[in-house]
Structures are given as C-alpha cells and as structure tokens.
Amino acid sequence: MPTDGEAAEDRAADTLHGLVELRAGQAPQAVAVRCGDAELTYGELDKRADALARHLAARGLAPGGRAAVALGRGTQVYVALLAVLKAGAAYVPLEPSAPDALLRHVLADAAPDLVVTEESHRVRLADAGPAQIVCLDTADLTEEPSDPPGAPTGPTDLACVLYTSGSTGLPTGALVEHRNLLSAYRGWREVYGLSPADRILQTSSLEFDVFTADWVRALGSGATLVVAPRNLTLDRTADLAGLPALVAAEGITVLELNARLARRLAAHLARSDAPQAGEPLAGTPLPGVRLLTVGAEKWYLDEQLGLQRLLGDGTRVLNVYGLAEAGVDSTYFDAQGTAATEDGERVSLIGRPFPGTRVYVVGPDGTPVPPGQAGEIAIAGGGLGRGYLNRADDTRHRFVRADFDPDGRVLLTGDIGRLRDDGVLEFLGRAAHVVGPVPFARKAAVVSRVAAAARAEGRLRAHPAVREAVVVELELRPGRRSLVGYAVTAPDADGADGWSLSQYLAAQLPVGDAPEAVVPVPELPRTRAGKLDRAALPLPAPPKHTAAGSAKAGSRTGKGGGGKAGGGRSGTSDLPGCLVLGCVVFFSLMAWVSTNVFFPGATQLGAVPDAYHFWFELLYLCENLAFGAGVAFLFFGFPAVLRQGRSYRLSLLTYLSVVWLLASWWPQDNLYRLTDATDWPRETAMVFTFNVPLMAAALVVLIFLIRRPTARR
C-alpha cells in the first residue's frame, strides 16, 4: 500500500508522462523496461523520450494532435509512447503485424498526424494510410535537445485512443484522457500494492488496452516492466510451458493474462507433478509471483479457484473486469479466502469496484435495480473517458446522464450482471446485439435472455464430457433470435454429441431456457484479443437434418425446453400444427353434437326473430370452438406456459385458468338459457359456479403477465 507521502506525490503528477518523470527523478538508475538483454533505466527512458518528442514536434506533431505508434516488441515502443505524450499529443497504439484491413480501418478512423514505426513496417503502413511515417531505427535524434519540450498538457487532455477488440464489429476508438488513466493507476496501486520493488510482466499486444494498463502500472509506480519475448496474446502456438521458467528467471512479481491464457496455464500446471488433482503443486509453480490477474473474457469461479489452488496461498489470483472506455479495469474479485462452492462452475464473480470507480446494475428504465435482479452493468468514476472517436451517436447512447451518480454520468457497458446480496458483482454475459436506445420491453427481454443464456452455459459447463462451453443468442431465422450452445468436449467422452447435450440441458433447465441446439466444436473461435469470436461460430444444422439419438445430431427436433431430470417435456411448438388443430375441431364437433344430449332445447331459436338467427348461430359456433380450444389447451398447453419462466405454481394456476376461460362458455351459456330468470337458487349457483371463477381466472392470468420470470441458476 502506498504511504501518505507517496500518494501525495502521485497526485502532484497530473499527466501520465509527468508521473513517469517523477519516478525518473526519484530513481534515475532503476531499470524501467527490460526486453531480453536490452534495458532502459528510468533516466535513459525519460531522456530518449524528450529527444524523440522534440523530433516529432519538428515533424509536425502539435499539442492536441494524434500519432499512431506501430512498433514491435522491445524497449523503443515505450520511448515512443512517452514521446508522443510529452509532445502534448495522444497516441494511437497499432500492432504492426495486424491484418491490412485492420490497419486501414484504424488509420482511416484515427487520422493520425504521423505514424511512429520502424523501416521493416514502413511499406505496409504507408500503403494503409496517408499519414507521415517516422522510423525510429533510421531517425537521427543526436541533434535534438534532451530537455523536455514543455508542451502544455493537462489532466483533461487526450492521452490515447484505444481501439476496442472488435468482438461485436469493427474496432471503435475510445477517447481516454490523462486523468482517466491516472485515476485507474491509483486504484491499481492501492488494490495491487504496487511498489518500485515489483517486476511486472508484459505479455499483451500493443493494440490492446491491457498493454497500456501494464506500462502505466509499472512505470507509474517505479517498478520494472519486463517484456515477454513472445506476444502470448497473438501467438497461438506459444508454449506456456516456458512461462514458469521466464517468471523465475526475470523475478516476476505481477502479471496479467487473458482468460484463454489463464486456462492454458492452468491446464499445463495441472499436468505437472501434482500430488492429486486440484492440490497445490510441489514447490512454487510461478516462483515469486505475488499477484496474477485475469481478464478480457468471462472467467468462471471454479476456474479461478482451481488456478488459486494450483498456485498456492503465496499468489493472489484476481478476476478483473472493465472496458477501455472506463479506464481499462473497473472491478476485481479476489479468490483468496473463498471456499469452493457447488455453483462455482456456473457463476463468474467480478467482485467490487476499484477505488475511484463506481459500478451499478441498472434496469431497462436506466435506474439501479435491487440486489439479486439482473440488469445492465453501468460504470462511473474517474476512469470514465470522453466517448468514442467519430461516433457521436454511440457516445450519446452509451455515455448517459444519471441522476443517481455523484458525477451525473455513467457508461452503459452492454454487459449484463447481477449484484448479489453480499455486494459482489456477478457477470452474466454480453448483450452484443443491443445498439443505441431500445424500447423498455425489448431491453427487458434482452436482459432476460442473457440471464437465460448464462444459466444454460453454466449447466453445459457442468456436463462431465464438456471442457469449455458458451451459449449465445443468434439469429437463426430472419427476425427470430434463439439460444445456441457450443461445447468443446473431451475426446471419446460418452454423451458428448449434440443431441445428448441438448437433452441433458432440457432436463436440467426450466422449460424455455434450454438452447435450441448444442453444437460440439473442436475449439471455440477467438478474435485477435483471445475473446470469443461470435461471428465465426458455426450455425447448427436445421432440426429436420438431425435425428434424435444420432451421434451427429447437433440440435433437438423440438424447440421447447426441458422438465425435471430424467426427461424433457414437449410443448405445443414440438407438435405438428395439424394435430393441435385437429384436436380443436374434434372437441368442437363433440360439443355441437352433445348439446342436445346434455342441454336439450338450449339452442332452440323459435322465440328469436329471424333477423337475429344468424348471430345466435354464430354465437353457438364460437362457444363450441372455444370449448374445443380449451380441451386442446388442456392436453398440450402446459409446457407452453412453463416456457415463460414464471414459478411452477403460478404457471399451473394460469394453465388451468386459461382452460377454464376457454372451455366454460359452452356449458355455462347453455345452462343459462335453460334456467328461468326468476329461479334464484339456480341463478345464484351458476353465478358462483361460472362467473366468479371466470373473474378469478382472469385475475390469475393478469398476475402471470405482470410477474417477472423466475431467475434460476
């Protein structure tokens, strides 16, 4: 934890480069950045950044401008980032090995004044955009003064434009100010206990927000930033078996991994010589590491606790959550001291906000919801950025006014969560298809569907044959969105085909929550950032192309959910429409034929004027059809009611109420016509037999319609 004096020094620095200059003045000989055998001390880093800042200013980079930085792994990238800031400009991090389409998009959208790179990347970057190119490996900086350029920069000036990973479309530039990252840094320093003694491992790619977070954490606290020789985020072939050796050799104390890398690390450590599965390894698998943080994607509690057990009590394992738009990290959950729970495989806990950050769960009306209720996660506080570059509508729709927050402004993340009774935030999933303002009812439906997907995903992960799973909502047919599950299964595991997994979920989940299909895949597709690539998920085969019980079946023949363990219930959507219609017609005819048997004379129209005969005959027809519909609903309607997600008792009462509302008109009207108007005993009996129950049935249906669906885990 920082002392009061250190905290006061931190607050004195109102820019990112000012904070690094402060560390350089305190310990100029301390190692700031190390990559392989190359090192830069804080004094060298600061001096070189000053010289490059003057060179960039001479090439036309003015205060308030933007410069793209596209450099490979090494020490020079940090010189370039600080130089751009010292020149009073904002940097746009750009991975030089990115696909041409991504390079063109970012350079066109950001429109930087110049691009800082090296000769090996000049041709590609020059072809991707018209910006002026500055190559560090050929630029002559010997003539540049080494004193600070003195560009006017304040806390509200733009520090960087961080492009999102593009998991829901093309990357969008988030405008981040100096004060936003300084606020985030103070939260990191307090929670992580950062100090100059730390050695922080940098594994991420330049283009991702965690890269900026790593260097701000390290260089802001006077620690040493150690750059991993290989880009573990982008290099899918990198063997994590070498990570423990690298950690030991470099004396790493702090590192961050994305969820995919954390899973790979846990699998590698589990294969090592552990006494028993799930127990700490003999010795320390990551010697010296006191803090390991994991983020960028949904990470389940059982995974976090499993990695915590493998690493032992000497390492804190945190699950962190946040967005580039709000200072990178907003909340964290510490696994230490958390006991294993039976629902650990079904929940992802992202904990509590970092100091300086406020987090809310808001309903469709934009106000906070009570604990336990699902809603959209909203972030506020010092880390909240300006908005999006060239995206005024997105900025207006996502960064909204909020009377319940002290600053009156929050970021709507598009992520769905639930605040538990203990104050811990639970992450449910992302509502990726909600863009801009949406009607209250539709947004409520989206929250409900994401919560249902989270329940289904947790149950799918619990299957013994499943190693990794995800449940997403896809548009399988125009205008209709459905839940679809994807499972990475163990080789040759029993019950690992799509049909069996679908039936397993149908038996485990409330009716209506089960995905329409489960598709076994060898691995889940990933974006460059290692996140789930929704656009690359394969669509399931149409139900008519899959056979029940087939080992190749990827979906159920029916679209209904499941019942209790041991078998699923079939809903009306599982039956041919002609069968339901035939049932309605049959019992309508039965009512018509039976009328004169049970109620002789009830349909006689002798006393009715001829002009009204047609209308009474139409009334009798409608009564018979209503009776037939009621009997058909009695046979086939209960699963359809259960699929709405209300409680079982309320669903049963509603089902019986609908049957009564439909079927009772035929006997009631016939009996009334056979009763003398002054026969008060029979009139009273029929009122209480038919009319009062009809009113009660209507009230039950009303309660059913306004009652929220039951949230089950």
Side-chain angles (χ1 to χ4, degrees):
M1 298 289 291
T3 64
D4 291 341
E6 290 171 333
E9 287 181 340
D10 290 352
R11 287 192 293 271
D14 57 6
T15 62
L16 293 174
H17 54 282
L19 184 59
V20 178
E21 289 169 356
L22 177 64
R23 302 304 176 212
Q26 293 171 339
Q29 300 305 314
V31 177
V33 183
R34 173 177 170 81
C35 182
D37 295 331
E39 288 185 348
L40 282 179
T41 66
Y42 273 89
E44 292 169 337
L45 174 65
D46 191 46
K47 183 177 180 179
R48 293 188 186 185
D50 286 337
L52 180 57
R54 289 190 172 275
H55 181 75
L56 297 179
R59 295 289 296 270
L61 183 60
R66 291 192 290 270
V69 175
L71 293 164
R73 304 187 75 74
T75 60
Q76 289 304 304
V77 62
Y78 306 97
V79 174
L81 296 176
L82 285 172
V84 172
L85 297 176
K86 285 173 176 281
Y91 69 81
V92 182
L94 186 60
E95 175 59 45
S97 64
D100 288 342
L102 180 59
L103 291 177
R104 292 178 183 277
H105 168 72
V106 173
L107 290 176
D109 192 63
D113 301 301
L114 51 83
V115 179
V116 182
T117 186
E118 21 190 36
E119 285 293 341
S120 59
H121 305 300
R122 174 191 284 275
V123 175
R124 287 190 73 222
L125 292 168
D127 184 59
Q132 182 182 178
I133 306 294
V134 176
C135 295
L136 290 190
D137 48 353
T138 57
D140 184 8
L141 304 180
T142 57
E143 300 299 324
E144 299 291 348
S146 59
D147 55 318
T153 310
T156 60
D157 286 320
L158 196 64
C160 55
V161 183
L162 299 178
Y163 276 80
T164 62
S165 61
S167 58
T168 58
L170 283 174
T172 302
L175 301 171
V176 182
E177 300 173 353
H178 284 266
R179 60 177 177 175
N180 303 142
L181 286 172
L182 287 173
S183 176
Y185 161 73
R186 295 179 187 114
W188 288 322
R189 182 169 183 178
E190 181 175 335
V191 173
Y192 295 173
L194 301 175
S195 74
D198 279 316
R199 295 174 68 85
I200 300 177
L201 185 63
Q202 168 73 269
T203 65
S204 184
S205 176
L206 170 62
E207 64 188 296
F208 303 131
D209 57 0
V210 69
F211 183 97
T212 289
D214 278 340
W215 82 252
V216 170
R217 285 191 286 253
L219 302 184
S221 57
T224 298
L225 183 66
V226 179
V227 182
R230 301 183 70 175
N231 189 330
L232 297 182
T233 303
L234 297 181
D235 189 352
R236 304 297 169 81
T237 64
D239 185 4
L240 287 189
L243 183 60
L246 174 64
V247 165
E250 294 290 351
I252 301 301
T253 60
V254 176
L255 76 154
E256 177 160 340
L257 301 174
N258 62 34
R260 176 178 174 274
L261 289 175
R263 292 185 180 108
R264 291 182 59 198
L265 175 63
H268 166 71
L269 296 179
R271 288 192 298 267
S272 302
D273 295 329
Q276 290 183 1
E279 294 186 8
L281 300 175
T284 305
L286 295 181
V289 174
R290 63 175 186 81
L291 176 67
L292 170 61
T293 63
V294 178
E297 193 182 27
K298 190 174 187 178
W299 199 43
Y300 282 88
L301 179 59
D302 66 324
E303 298 177 304
Q304 185 180 3
L305 293 174
L307 187 54
Q308 179 71 76
R309 285 192 297 270
L310 288 168
L311 296 180
D313 294 337
T315 304
R316 293 173 67 198
V317 178
L318 306 185
N319 186 11
V320 297
Y321 163 84
L323 283 76
E325 300 94 311
V328 185
D329 291 332
S330 297
T331 70
Y332 69 97
F333 181 75
D334 193 337
Q336 283 193 334
T338 301
T341 62
E342 62 180 11
D343 64 347
E345 60 199 3
R346 302 196 298 270
V347 299
S348 174
L349 302 183
I350 52 177
R352 305 176 187 277
F354 281 88
T357 300
R358 296 178 296 278
V359 177
Y360 307 94
V361 176
V362 299
D365 62 349
T367 60
V369 298
Q373 184 174 323
E376 185 172 5
I377 299 174
I379 301 174
L384 211 59
R386 289 185 190 176
Y388 301 103
L389 180 64
N390 303 325
R391 302 289 191 278
D393 286 344
D394 288 345
T395 300
R396 184 172 62 256
H397 297 154
R398 298 282 300 278
F399 292 79
V400 300
R401 300 294 304 172
D403 295 337
F404 54 83
D405 182 75
D407 293 340
R409 181 171 179 258
V410 300
L411 168 67
L412 298 177
T413 64
D415 292 329
I416 307 302
R418 178 189 296 116
L419 193 63
R420 293 153 58 108
D421 292 336
D422 58 4
V424 173
L425 184 62
E426 178 184 347
F427 179 75
L428 297 178
R430 182 157 184 77
H433 57 281
V434 176
V435 179
V438 296
F440 182 99
R442 182 183 165 215
K443 202 162 189 178
V446 168
V447 172
S448 177
R449 294 299 287 170
V450 172
R455 291 191 290 272
E457 184 174 304
R459 292 292 183 180
L460 187 55
R461 291 187 73 249
H463 192 284
V466 174
R467 296 188 300 185
E468 192 174 0
V470 67
V471 174
V472 299
E473 193 178 23
L474 301 177
E475 190 170 13
L476 299 183
R477 286 169 289 281
R480 180 182 174 188
R481 305 189 69 88
S482 303
L483 295 181
V484 180
Y486 296 87
V488 180
T489 58
D492 302 322
D494 292 335
D497 60 273
W499 173 265
S500 298
L501 293 174
S502 294
Q503 294 306 300
Y504 163 79
L505 289 182
Q508 292 287 321
L509 293 166
V511 175
D513 275 6
E516 182 165 326
V518 176
V519 182
V521 292
E523 63 178 345
L524 296 175
R526 300 288 178 181
T527 65
R528 287 170 53 81
K531 298 180 180 180
L532 177 70
D533 188 353
R534 292 169 179 260
L537 288 169
L539 294 178
K544 64 181 180 180
H545 293 165
T546 58
S550 169
K552 296 181 179 180
S555 66
R556 304 192 306 276
T557 55
K559 302 179 184 68
K564 298 178 182 178
R569 299 187 182 97
S570 294
T572 53
S573 60
D574 300 313
L575 298 168
C578 59
L579 177 60
V580 178
L581 181 60
C583 184
V584 173
V585 172
F586 175 78
F587 283 101
S588 298
L589 290 174
M590 288 293 295
W592 188 280
V593 172
S594 302
T595 298
N596 289 328
V597 175
F598 294 106
F599 313 107
T603 58
Q604 295 297 320
L605 300 177
V608 178
D610 292 344
Y612 293 93
H613 280 200
F614 168 78
W615 299 109
F616 276 89
E617 289 172 350
L618 179 62
L619 173 64
Y620 301 152
L621 174 63
C622 293
E623 289 172 349
N624 292 328
L625 288 173
F627 179 81
V631 176
F633 195 78
L634 178 67
F635 290 154
F636 307 123
F638 192 36
V641 178
L642 284 175
R643 271 200 297 274
Q644 308 310 309
R646 275 68 170 185
S647 69
Y648 184 88
R649 181 179 298 177
L650 179 59
S651 297
L652 178 61
L653 287 175
T654 302
Y655 158 70
L656 296 175
S657 297
V658 173
V659 171
W660 182 252
L661 285 168
L662 289 169
S664 67
W665 292 106
W666 171 65
Q668 175 195 208
D669 198 34
N670 282 297
L671 284 170
Y672 267 116
R673 280 195 287 267
L674 294 177
T675 302
D676 189 286
T678 60
D679 188 350
W680 295 112
R682 293 184 67 183
E683 289 281 336
T684 303
M686 283 193 293
V687 165
F688 281 90
T689 301
F690 290 101
N691 291 16
V692 172
L694 283 171
M695 290 183 281
L699 181 61
V700 170
V701 173
L702 177 63
I703 295 173
F704 180 86
L705 292 174
I706 64 177
R707 181 69 60 86
R708 292 182 180 274
T710 303
R712 302 185 188 179
R713 294 182 184 173

